[in-house]
Amino acid sequence: MAPRSFWKGYLKLSLVTCPVAMTPATSDSEKVRFHTLNAKTGNRVVSQYVDAVSAKPVDKDDEVKGYQRGEDDYVMLEDDEIDAVALESTRTIDIESFVSRDSIEWIWYDTPHYLAPNDPVGEEAFAVIREAMATTGTVGISRLVMYRRERAVMLEPRGKGIVLWTLRYGDEVRDEADYFAGIGSGKSDAKLMTMVTKLIDARTTAWDPKMVDDPVQDKLLDIIAAKKKGKRIAKPKQSAEEPASNVINIMDALRKSIGAETGKTRSR
């Protein structure tokens, strides 16, 4: 059964409008979650805001946002002042522009959501917008208030629906030049390239969602199940071995790697 939508509103392109519903495309609800407890009493620990000077708890109604302009000096902003600069409509995805699908690099993608028509009457309008983007190789760009913040979003056709990606803010993506500038630009040795290509070929396979399974999650569930039965859990031994920090002779290392891969292939 598909999860219930958490947002309902309208998809709008010029004068074309249709009702839509949005659901997160990913979920972490199945993850093991822990509460923080007092080890002496077994009671849950709760958190609350306290005044940094008086150390007294602060009532919810007295909490305000502040922008620091100097040491112990803040400009306080009320919620209605912050809301005044937000979008007028929080329920309309108004497609402002279209860009080439390939022009937005993956590093800008944040969180995916499934967008689907929420009324049979609006399915035709939804479908024509989706198909037009697919045909032209474009994605729609809009803005939307989500998770209490205004976000730039990208609408990408996918099958019968649309995936709405929230995009990272401009100041969140760091300039790669600041980190890659010191890397040499010389071409790699042709022989080394050939050998690494052989390694890639040997390890190339079809994508499988099982590649991103979470083994730690499974082990945690096993531990929890064992502790429910009153079993004692042995602490794992820590390995003292450190992996080699460098390769003295890359050619020898590649020859050994290719030999190992060839042996694996033959044994299958």
Side-chain angles (χ1 to χ4, degrees):
M1 184 178 178
R4 296 178 60 184
S5 60
F6 82 109
W7 184 95
K8 292 182 180 180
Y10 297 89
L11 176 63
K12 184 175 183 292
L13 174 58
S14 188
L15 299 179
V16 179
T17 304
C18 61
V20 290
M22 183 161 50
T23 308
T26 59
S27 171
D28 61 359
S29 61
E30 300 302 318
K31 292 292 184 183
V32 174
R33 296 181 182 276
F34 296 103
H35 294 289
T36 302
L37 308 178
N38 182 335
K40 294 181 179 179
T41 65
N43 299 328
R44 283 187 60 181
V45 174
V46 297
S47 60
Q48 62 180 165
Y49 286 107
V50 297
D51 189 292
V53 177
S54 69
K56 294 181 179 179
V58 179
D59 291 336
K60 181 69 175 177
D61 293 340
D62 293 329
E63 295 174 14
V64 297
K65 292 181 174 61
Y67 177 83
Q68 187 170 12
R69 60 184 175 186
E71 186 175 355
D72 297 327
D73 183 18
Y74 300 88
V75 176
M76 290 189 288
L77 297 175
E78 302 290 342
D79 287 342
D80 57 354
E81 293 174 316
I82 296 174
D83 293 340
V85 300
L87 287 174
E88 292 183 7
S89 174
T90 60
R91 291 293 165 186
T92 301
I93 305 169
D94 191 354
I95 304 179
E96 303 165 354
S97 58
F98 295 89
V99 301
S100 169
R101 169 65 181 80
D102 298 330
S103 66
I104 304 180
E105 296 182 275
W106 64 267
I107 200 168
W108 292 96
Y109 294 6
D110 189 11
T111 306
H113 304 76
Y114 291 139
L115 194 67
N118 194 37
D119 188 324
V121 177
E123 283 191 14
E124 184 178 11
F126 180 91
V128 74
I129 294 173
R130 179 199 65 218
E131 291 303 314
M133 289 193 293
T135 300
T136 57
T138 59
V139 291
I141 303 296
S142 184
R143 302 193 73 83
L144 184 64
V145 175
M146 298 179 65
Y147 312 114
R148 299 180 62 86
R149 296 187 70 184
E150 183 178 322
R151 308 296 300 262
V153 297
M154 181 190 85
L155 291 88
E156 176 185 20
R158 183 180 178 91
K160 294 181 179 180
I162 291 174
V163 174
L164 181 146
W165 284 89
T166 56
L167 299 176
R168 299 188 189 279
Y169 295 98
D171 58 1
E172 290 181 336
V173 178
R174 293 173 174 171
D175 188 350
E176 63 188 50
D178 295 337
Y179 304 90
F180 300 158
I183 300 176
S185 57
K187 290 187 176 181
S188 299
D189 182 274
K191 290 183 179 179
L192 296 179
M193 282 289 292
T194 300
M195 298 179 78
V196 173
T197 302
K198 286 184 179 179
L199 275 177
I200 292 175
D201 289 341
R203 295 195 175 196
T204 298
T205 184
W207 160 255
D208 188 332
K210 291 182 179 179
M211 292 178 178
V212 290
D213 280 350
D214 186 355
V216 173
Q217 174 91 354
D218 296 335
K219 291 176 182 177
L220 282 173
L221 290 172
D222 290 341
I223 291 173
I224 291 170
K227 297 202 78 169
K228 282 182 178 179
K229 296 178 181 178
K231 295 182 179 179
R232 190 177 184 84
I233 307 299
K235 293 184 178 180
K237 295 181 179 180
Q238 297 294 327
S239 174
E241 294 183 9
E242 291 287 338
S245 60
N246 64 337
V247 178
I248 297 175
N249 189 319
I250 190 170
M251 185 67 77
D252 289 344
L254 284 171
R255 287 196 182 102
K256 291 178 182 178
S257 297
I258 292 173
E261 293 296 330
T262 303
K264 288 180 183 177
T265 303
R266 288 174 179 171
S267 64
R268 287 173 185 168

